[in-house]
Amino acid sequence: MIQMTSSEPLSSYRENSFNLKEHLKNFLQIDGDILEKKLADGLKEIGDLGRTSFDWENATEFYRDRVKHLYLFDLAHWHLESHAYIGDTIRLLADNARGIVLDFGGGIGTHTIAAALCPGVELVVYCDINPINREFVLYRATQLGLLDKIKIVEEIPANFSFDTIVSFDVLEHLPDPSIQILEFHKVLKPEGKAVFNWCFFKGYNQEHPYHLDDPQKVDMFFRALQTNFVELYHPYFITTRCYRKW
């Protein structure tokens, strides 16, 4: 169990990414060598799956039913390889997370755990359509003694409003991210903060065939974002941005 001794959850993250590898080994019942191979192969395997079976009409089914455990390895590889970058996103989150937090498309739970460790946070609503991701984050929350601060759901609960909304590496996976931006605006409290990033790019060699890069959809996204939110300055050299409502 993590014992919180500082107002900054980054100190708990720095050592081992909130014990990510150990959680993966135990959750999946695999040894260290197999895990390392799965992590190394994660991006290629999910990219291959995307090139053969992804289409936007069935995007929800792809992420909910087809990716299975592959997304755990892909996301874990990215978070471990980009440890410093993820650390800065946690710094930004810790600067702004308050009250009731929504982690939309929370993946392997890194930012849900970080938010739950922030003393100003009452509850983190972790939302992800992939049932394996939800099971994994439930396992992690249990291991870290954070079940009392994390609520795990498949969809944003009705009649909820949030003091903080975070969504990391998710918007590019949606067929129309502008719709999601408007939904975020609807459920964010008037004085709330939102922390987003995105990557509308399939990669130089089509490494990310499931990323949205349609110019019209991307244009609609930025119009929705810029007419509903004001960007707030932060000092970290990362692609993640922080916003408040107009």
Side-chain angles (χ1 to χ4, degrees), residues 31-179:
D31 64 30
D33 290 341
I34 293 175
L35 175 62
E36 294 298 334
K37 185 177 189 312
K38 291 287 188 181
L39 290 172
D41 294 342
L43 176 61
K44 179 182 184 302
E45 290 188 9
I46 199 168
D48 289 344
L49 179 67
R51 280 183 282 276
T52 58
S53 63
F54 178 80
D55 65 81
W56 284 109
E57 290 185 2
N58 298 294
T60 297
E61 180 190 0
F62 179 80
Y63 291 113
R64 186 188 61 212
D65 304 324
R66 295 187 190 179
V67 297
K68 299 187 183 298
H69 296 87
L70 287 181
Y71 221 34
L72 292 182
F73 299 124
D74 176 55
L75 290 171
H77 174 79
W78 157 238
H79 281 220
L80 291 166
E81 287 291 303
S82 305
H83 191 265
Y85 175 91
I86 300 297
D88 277 345
T89 68
I90 290 173
R91 281 180 156 186
L92 178 59
L93 177 58
D95 290 345
N96 293 280
R98 303 290 184 274
I100 300 176
V101 177
L102 171 65
D103 184 2
F104 182 79
I108 57 175
T110 299
H111 294 98
T112 285
I113 293 167
L117 291 171
C118 293
V121 168
E122 302 167 27
L123 177 70
V124 185
V125 178
Y126 165 95
C127 181
D128 200 291
I129 64 171
N130 185 310
I132 294 175
N133 288 356
R134 295 198 302 273
E135 290 174 16
F136 181 54
V137 174
L138 176 61
Y139 174 82
R140 300 193 78 190
T142 302
Q143 295 300 305
L144 297 172
L146 294 172
L147 276 179
D148 61 330
K149 291 190 71 174
I150 296 174
K151 178 182 178 68
I152 296 173
V153 299
E154 183 176 357
E155 298 178 346
I156 300 174
N159 303 317
F160 255 68
S161 58
F162 300 93
D163 301 282
T164 315
I165 296 176
V166 300
S167 187
F168 291 97
D169 305 309
V170 175
L171 293 164
E172 65 270 22
H173 297 277
L174 305 179
D176 190 344
S178 63
I179 294 175

